[in-house]
Amino acid sequence: MEESALRREDKKVVAVVGAGLVGALNACFFAKRGFEVEVFETREDIRKAKVVKGRSINLALSHRGRTALKHVGMEDKIVSKGIPMNARMIHSLSGKQSPIPYGKKGQYILSVDRANLNKELLTAAETYPNTKLNFDHKLQDWSAETGLMTFARPHGSKTQTQADLIVGCDGAFSAVRKQFLRRSRFNYSQTYIPHGYMELTMRPRNGEFAMKPNYLHIWPRNTFMMIALPNLDKTFTCTLFMPFEEFEKISTGDEVIEFFQKYFPDAIPLIGAATLRRDYFRLPAQAMVSVKCSPYHIGDKCVLMGDAAHAVVPFYGQGMNAGFEDCIVFDEIMNQFNEDFSAVLPEYSRVRVPDDHAIADLAMYNYVEVIQFLLHMLHMFFSNVFSPALWSSGLLVIHSLEAGKTHSFGFFLVFQVTFTRTRYHVAVERWHWQDKVINRGLLLGAVGAAAGGFYLLIKNPPDINKLAITAEKVWNKMAALKTPPSVGAASQI
Ligand code: FAD
Ligand code: EGU
């Protein structure tokens, strides 16, 4: 007892800026170590608020996120309120549904409620006596020299506080990050994709889920798609992803129905025509941004985590999972370097930047590619191209006749990203290697080659530089997709 009291004395003050998903979780991680944790959040306490504004209503939680929750003893609590999704359910234009499992039998991802997850994490952070949550505190400015932060309070007042370490968990438009931008040798890029998203709610039908609950429902269409995740109240949250210019073409209720009739006819009765007419215009389509930067730290004073360090487009369901994994990685390095911030922070940047950049690139690549692959999958269900042997080998190979080039949809990749903690950059390296092998025609017997290839790939890691997926390439790809007749161009990235 005495010893812990003594240790408390010399414990440093850690300020966590942002009490979103990553900030609230991070507060638990730092509190567990015994730091004096001060959390500062712009919004009011969402546990008391009547209406919670925010991004997506629900999220896919997978292995990385779960592991982080486990570190702070929260896994069971969150998982018990999540809905397992064992497979994707692909909806064809004619309304036919085809399931494609995520992993082996019994493996699943979870649909969790964002607000509930955030609330539970705040409550968990608050149970540590060494944690204080400060709501209605909007960070305006801070000093990299002194660690002095200035917060705007409601009604125009301001307060200032000092901390030994500032942890920026304040999301994609991070105020903490602004200080980084002023400094030399800080790399930064942000890209808005041409797509926006809109959420629509599918109510229960006769008191039950309107569709099968244990699936991530997907409607892949040409340049856009809709996905739906189940909620505990038996609703589904549908998210429509579409280029802004397409959203803008629809301006009346009739046009909404016409549009859904053309592309998502089976969803109209499930959402309800009247609801659809109304909800489509409730909120404008939201933008999606991809942010990459490096390094993630300034000296021994400040570190960025979660979306503040790496906002990724949602086409891998990994934004939160990656942010949660940031917390584990930081925690491990804290052990390794005895909580010495001057050693921990540079090491954290060194280790984590390549992985967060890899998932950011992957999600960006997937943004266009996944729609195409899901469409291919759908077609394969209705033709004989679909081979169970290829399937079970974990490798789906798609041959584009027009381009004369074979493309693999890395099920290994999706698997490693979703169900393991394989470093993101390593998973990507393996995937590129796999594609190369296939294009060289080494894939003869599907199962044998895939198994052998996988073995080789572990032995010979490929060149990382091949990876760079530029926004430009993604744009070119979008352009190619817009010219329907020559589909072939779409397979050359
Ligand atoms: P945020 O959740 O943005 O939280 C930041 C917090 O900081 C907020 O509470 C904000 O109020 C506060 N803040 C901001 N500025 C200040 C300031 N100046 N001072 C004080 N506080 C401040 N990820 C997944 O893993 N799986 C999914 O299925 C998934 N689906 C998604 C679907 C969509 C449509 C979108 C847009 C994203 C999705 N994501 C998903 C990504 C996920 O939402 C984010 O990665 C995650 O919310 C990041 O958490 P964060 O805490 O870093 O940032
Ligand atoms: C997007 C928005 C299916 C929640 C990528 C799959 C997503 C999620 C996929 C959102 C897709 C896309 C994967 C998971 C997941 C698939 C994945 C995307 C959850 C490649 C709430 N994506 N998402 N891939 O595999 O790895 O089923 O808003 F439609 S979970 Cl875009 Cl695993």
Side-chain angles (χ1 to χ4, degrees):
M1 278 313 250
E2 276 156 34
E3 200 189 77
S4 76
L6 256 173
R7 278 182 53 192
R8 178 75 44 80
E9 292 278 293
D10 61 20
K11 274 299 176 184
K12 293 180 169 158
V13 177
V14 174
V16 174
V17 180
L21 300 177
V22 176
L25 176 71
N26 230 342
C28 297
F29 269 94
F30 283 104
K32 203 176 151 198
R33 289 188 166 276
F35 288 101
E36 285 304 322
V37 181
E38 291 270 356
V39 181
F40 299 97
E41 165 62 45
T42 303
R43 295 176 299 178
E44 60 180 322
D45 189 341
I46 51 165
R47 294 166 299 177
K48 295 171 188 153
K50 281 187 218 87
V51 274
V52 183
K53 291 178 291 178
R55 278 179 303 160
S56 66
I57 291 155
N58 51 24
L59 304 131
L61 174 69
S62 51
H63 180 70
R64 294 170 202 263
R66 280 184 69 159
T67 308
L69 291 170
K70 192 186 214 146
H71 274 71
V72 296
M74 290 294 287
E75 188 187 21
D76 294 342
K77 186 150 208 169
I78 301 304
V79 168
S80 69
K81 286 199 171 174
I83 301 176
M85 298 183 288
N86 298 285
R88 316 134 172 102
M89 185 67 89
I90 306 196
H91 294 239
S92 75
L93 200 52
S94 65
K96 200 172 150 71
Q97 303 185 22
S98 325
I100 302 174
Y102 273 112
K104 301 181 195 88
K105 219 175 152 101
Q107 279 182 316
Y108 54 82
I109 56 176
L110 286 153
S111 173
V112 298
D113 181 275
R114 179 193 289 270
N116 177 256
L117 175 58
N118 207 155
K119 287 174 187 173
E120 295 281 12
L121 288 173
L122 288 173
T123 299
E126 222 171 27
T127 56
Y128 293 91
N130 47 326
T131 299
K132 184 158 178 268
L133 304 180
N134 305 278
F135 296 100
D136 298 308
H137 278 69
K138 182 182 173 128
L139 181 81
Q140 281 196 316
D141 205 4
W142 64 278
S143 159
E145 283 69 46
T146 62
L148 187 72
M149 297 167 284
T150 307
F151 295 96
R153 305 293 324 273
H155 315 299
S157 63
K158 282 182 188 176
T159 52
Q160 291 195 313
T161 325
Q162 206 149 12
D164 297 297
L165 177 68
I166 298 169
V167 186
C169 302
D170 51 347
F173 306 99
S174 171
V176 175
R177 200 175 57 212
K178 277 183 198 142
Q179 279 296 331
F180 286 65
L181 285 162
R182 292 189 199 158
R183 300 172 75 89
S184 172
R185 299 184 62 203
F186 177 67
N187 302 296
Y188 180 82
S189 74
Q190 76 173 45
T191 308
Y192 278 92
I193 59 173
H195 280 57
Y197 72 91
M198 179 179 282
E199 291 184 312
L200 300 162
T201 302
M202 189 181 277
R203 283 200 301 270
R205 260 212 318 196
N206 309 322
E208 270 311 312
F209 281 104
M211 304 181 295
K212 288 189 171 172
N214 296 108
Y215 296 89
L216 191 157
H217 290 264
I218 312 172
W219 292 256
R221 299 295 179 257
N222 248 353
T223 58
F224 46 86
M225 75 175 157
M226 187 163 75
I227 68 165
L229 273 69
N231 298 308
L232 272 186
D233 64 1
K234 301 196 169 155
T235 60
F236 278 91
T237 303
C238 306
T239 312
L240 173 62
F241 295 94
M242 190 161 73
F244 275 102
E245 57 182 66
E246 300 292 331
F247 273 115
E248 284 153 13
K249 280 182 194 158
I250 299 167
S251 58
T252 67
D254 285 347
E255 283 166 355
V256 176
I257 300 300
E258 202 180 307
F259 171 80
F260 269 75
Q261 199 69 60
K262 190 164 173 199
Y263 296 106
F264 311 109
D266 62 328
I268 298 179
L270 301 179
I271 299 174
T275 313
L276 200 51
R277 281 167 181 274
R278 179 169 31 96
D279 289 359
Y280 187 93
F281 299 102
R282 261 185 3 144
L283 282 172
Q286 305 289 304
M288 286 170 282
V289 69
S290 179
V291 173
K292 286 205 280 179
C293 68
S294 74
Y296 292 159
H297 72 286
I298 295 178
D300 61 355
K301 265 272 162 292
C302 182
V303 63
L304 302 174
M305 293 195 210
D307 278 17
H310 47 80
V312 307
V313 292
F315 302 100
Y316 240 100
Q318 284 294 312
M320 165 192 65
N321 286 289
F324 280 11
E325 194 177 49
D326 288 347
C327 302
I328 309 179
V329 171
F330 191 87
D331 195 57
E332 285 166 353
I333 297 171
M334 285 283 271
N335 285 340
Q336 214 178 316
F337 291 88
N338 244 323
E339 304 184 352
D340 171 4
F341 296 152
S342 67
V344 171
L345 269 52
E347 178 66 4
Y348 173 74
S349 284
R350 191 187 70 79
V351 170
R352 198 56 180 164
V353 166
D355 291 319
D356 286 332
H357 284 199
I359 192 64
D361 289 342
L362 209 51
M364 187 62 117
Y365 168 82
N366 237 33
Y367 153 53
V368 178
E369 205 69 349
V370 93
I371 305 178
Q372 293 301 298
F373 277 119
L374 292 166
L375 274 169
H376 272 290
M377 278 189 214
L378 204 137
H379 289 146
M380 276 189 279
F381 263 98
F382 303 109
S383 64
N384 296 323
V385 188
F386 187 79
S387 144
L390 280 178
W391 190 256
S392 58
S393 75
L395 194 70
L396 181 63
V397 178
I398 287 153
H399 190 76
S400 160
L401 289 169
E402 296 89 343
K405 211 176 172 193
T406 305
H407 228 52
S408 75
F409 186 54
F411 271 98
F412 282 133
L413 177 67
V414 175
F415 184 85
Q416 291 193 2
V417 164
T418 308
F419 293 108
T420 75
R421 282 201 55 219
T422 307
R423 291 186 61 182
Y424 288 127
H425 88 270
V426 172
V428 169
E429 280 173 8
R430 290 177 183 166
W431 172 57
H432 279 265
W433 191 91
Q434 174 187 294
D435 244 13
K436 217 149 98 185
V437 169
I438 293 158
N439 276 313
R440 284 178 187 171
L442 287 178
L443 192 84
L444 301 170
V447 178
F454 194 62
Y455 170 70
L456 279 171
L457 143 139
I458 295 161
K459 297 208 80 175
N460 317 302
D463 182 5
I464 329 169
N465 298 324
K466 299 273 153 60
L467 208 159
I469 297 139
T470 61
E472 196 186 353
K473 281 185 188 166
V474 173
W475 272 96
N476 290 342
K477 204 144 174 99
M478 282 303 301
L481 289 177
K482 281 182 186 164
T483 42
S486 64
V487 193
S491 338
Q492 286 165 328
I493 202 162

